[in-house]
Amino acid sequence: MRYKAKSVNFGIIYGQGAFGLAENLGIPRAEAKEIIDNYKKQFPNIQKYMDDTINFCKENGYVETLMGRKRWLKDINSANFTVRGFAERNAINSPIQGTAADMIKLAMIKIHKEFATHKFKSKMLLQVHDELVFDAHKDELEIIKPVILNCMQTALALPNSVPTDAEIGEGKNWLEAH
Amino acid sequence: MQKKLFLLDAFALVFRAYYALIRNPRVTSKGRNTNAQFGFTNTLIDLITNQKPTHMAVCFDTSAATERHTDFADYKANRQETPEDISSAVPDIKKIIEALNIPVIAIDGYEADDVIGALAKQAEKEGYEVFMVTPDKDYGQLVSENIKIYKPPYQGNTYEILGPKEVCEKWDIERVDQVIDILGLMGDAVDNIPGIPGVGEKTAAKLLKEYGTLENVLENAANIKGKLGEKVAAGKDLALMSKKLATIITDISAAEFHEENFRIKEKNEYALREIFEELEFKTLGKRLLGEGAQTPSAATNPDGGSTKEATQNVQMDLFGNIIEQPQQTPSAVANPDGGFGNNSFTADKNINNTPHNYILANTQQLITDLTNKLNNEKEICFDTETTGIDANNAELVGLSFSVKKGEAYYVPCPPDKDECIKLLHKFQPLFNNKLITWIGQNIKYDMLMLKWYGFELAGNIFDTMLAHYVIEPDGKRSMDALSEKYLGYATVHIDELIGKKGKNQGSMRDVEAEKIKDYAAEDADITLQLQHVFLPQLKEKEVEKIFYEVENPLVKVLTAMEFEGIRIDEQFLNDYSKELEREAKIAEESVYKQAGVRFNLASPKQLGEVLFDKLQLDPKAKKTKTGQYATGEDVLLKLAAQNKIVDDILVFREYTKLKSTYVDALPLMINKKTGRVHTSYAQAVAVTGRLSSNNPNLQNIPVRTDRGKEIRKAFIPRDKDHVLVSADYSQIELRIVAAISGDVNMCEAFTYR
């Protein structure tokens, strides 16, 4: 179900349309259209954001993340709709993906610094998708957990007071910890 | 020998080539998009090598109006404007065809399909087997026993050959000449042929089954019941004109088939080289012009990840090895550097014609002089030479430094580790100096090397590869590529030192220091010069914040993580491997039982025969290039719902793949020194800014299926005093969408919970 919900959210945001959404979820096109219409009604500013982003890109030739990571999309003004369509989807996708990347990178830098300052024996080991994996010394476990969460949650403040949230778990292997 | 003539519909193929590569456009160092040229040339070369035609010609439309335009003003009026990249590609493509000594044919007043039709009919009479190379379905009307459509491979599918049987099946008609009746009735949106409004493909086929031809359908309009009859009666004129528009004109006096002109001949290597150089078709050039496949220096050189570039848009397995090449990046097959941009032919400067002062510092005195000199510097360009590309297994061979354009130092390191550490101690005051900024190309590699010898760089980092990453996220950034693009300078090739990549490649350790000096000092010199180029660009493009606050500081973090590695539970993987093998075996046996025959399930050929010949699961089963049935995952997934045998085959495949790609492969990645697996992060690959990883590629560890998830059990704490901790952002992308869109409802959903 969560997989489905996620597809809906992003499918709409990235402009795949009713056809793409129906394909992805294996549902009739009419149903997909209804989902999209409802979604747009529920979140009226999303469409405006998408339009504004594309217009910004058309004018400036690039889009950017909260940290100013840029992506230049020269095809955004192409006369050909297929070419332009790719660029438009990238224009919407890149700031979102890129901001998530900025955020976890900043969190890693912060965590690394904190661990060094406190001379923790625990180590940060892996980064994959939106996840960080650590070797935590048992003596430090309860100390480092709030440190990690705090670094992740404060790495990059989002506008409009939207909070970021991170979850943490432990275990005798990665599957159990996740 | 059977004479085989291939006639190519140039524009149809050019358009297709262009769009096939649109996600990964090929752009030259001068910024030209060469998708169309590249894709078309590949199709052409693929045809010549694999189909072995004896005769060939390429037909173009002309800009002159054809009879169809004068008859019907709307003909093809709905076409999108041709992308400029395509129209500007046409002269290049013609040059390439001419360099291959293949005739280019264009006849004013006729479209390519007319010309191809006319030529095909003549050649057929002279005993040729003719293939019309096009994705266009209209050609169906021309097909006969000896004239066929060759539909080139597209997006991972194999090519198709359509004869009369296939064409009739496709349209559900009895004779190929009914193709124009069908098109006349239903119209063709692509060419803006109207047809009869309200009549689609199925209705058209039904009408033709009853009445045979379009004219006969129209005559019998009164006998056709209901609304359809009315539509047919009303659409009579449109239908007749549509049929005329759709009819390919094969009677063209200007189109003459000349056996000798069309014969495949030797290519004009000089002309071909010239145009390939202009388009920067490096790999194709080598493949076609017989220089032999060369390995790019960067593949054996950590300075800038050309190996990473190649893998950028390619699916990789756990260890970053390419497991599937998408059709749209054919160059990657031949050459790990992607083939382009690395050694473009534009760099005219090199070590032999550029003034430089490269100094070998191989005595106590020279090294002391060097460290004294460097100690007064604020910025030092630094590079290492090593015995391999995996920093976790390589040994230091030398260090190079540069602080001034054209001037660089190379310090050889002794093979003995303790001796080497002694040498490094002389540089320790430098390494520990927090005021020095270290400039390097992919300096994470060099820092990791130092870390294995117990040294770290205390100062700030300026990585030229990362600078380029934020300046031009889509570009190529191996050092060779950057040097040629920004400095017009071709660097010394590593092949000149240790030979080409492969099992006979030598080690840097065995090359004399004087010889390495040029190569190594040049690297430091060039990297420094690149920094000078990028510094103002970072400011101008306003990407300093992301560079100085995120990417550069992250280098040390990633170095530490790669150095740490993670412990792997080998026993678990061994057991899991056996379990997967056992369960795969059960699925396999179940397949044989249902098939009623034992065969090699791993052989697609035998599998196809069982599923489609013996069990007849799909009467319309498709065949691949080699004539065997397609049994890819997409094919099987469609059949799995109704057929348990197919379900079992998929289970067998999943388990055997998990076993070979992950479960059995992961233990091989364990570092002998540490007993741990050291993932390597690629910081300058994903255009969005995300990290990716290799050896193993963590992103690719399956998470969708329970069997796949189990693999994560193999990642364990270092010892009994530790536990593994995982921290995960939740719904981060949605939160970002809410935050940056400012949509009140979405923001609220996250704020008040």
Side-chain angles (χ1 to χ4, degrees), chain A residues 1 10 22 28 51 59 67 86 88 91 101 106 110 129 173 176:
Chain A
M1 190 54 216
F10 291 125
D51 297 342
E59 263 169 48
M67 285 298 287
F86 277 119
E88 287 175 353
L106 285 168
K110 242 178 149 166
H129 303 299
N173 61 54
E176 211 178 285

Side-chain angles (χ1 to χ4, degrees), chain A residues 42-43 45 69-70 80-81 86 97 105 127 130-132 134 136 138 152 160 163 165 167 169 171 174, chain B residues 19 22 80 541 551 681 688-690 715 717 720-721 723-730 735 739 743 745:
Chain A
Q42 199 185 346
F43 303 116
N45 254 32
R69 181 193 301 283
K70 292 186 171 142
N80 182 284
F81 71 76
F86 277 119
Q97 289 265 333
K105 284 177 171 180
Q127 189 278 145
D130 299 318
E131 181 184 2
L132 298 171
F134 301 82
K138 282 177 180 165
M152 288 175 82
N160 292 304
D165 189 25
E167 289 161 6
W174 187 11
Chain B
Y19 288 110
I22 203 156
Q80 281 272 321
K541 296 212 158 183
E551 298 300 348
Y681 290 93
T688 54
R690 287 199 177 265
F715 294 77
K720 60 175 180 23
D721 292 332
V723 288
L724 273 198
V725 163
S726 157
D728 204 352
Y729 277 114
S730 58
R735 285 168 192 267
D743 184 277
N745 291 346

Side-chain angles (χ1 to χ4, degrees), chain B residues 187-224:
Chain B
D188 181 354
V190 178
D191 291 342
N192 216 22
I193 295 177
I196 297 178
V199 172
E201 188 173 336
K202 288 210 171 106
T203 312
K206 210 179 84 195
L207 289 169
L208 288 177
K209 275 210 170 60
E210 188 153 2
Y211 301 104
T213 66
L214 176 135
E215 288 77 8
N216 210 19
V217 171
L218 299 178
E219 256 169 49
N220 287 289
N223 302 329
I224 302 169

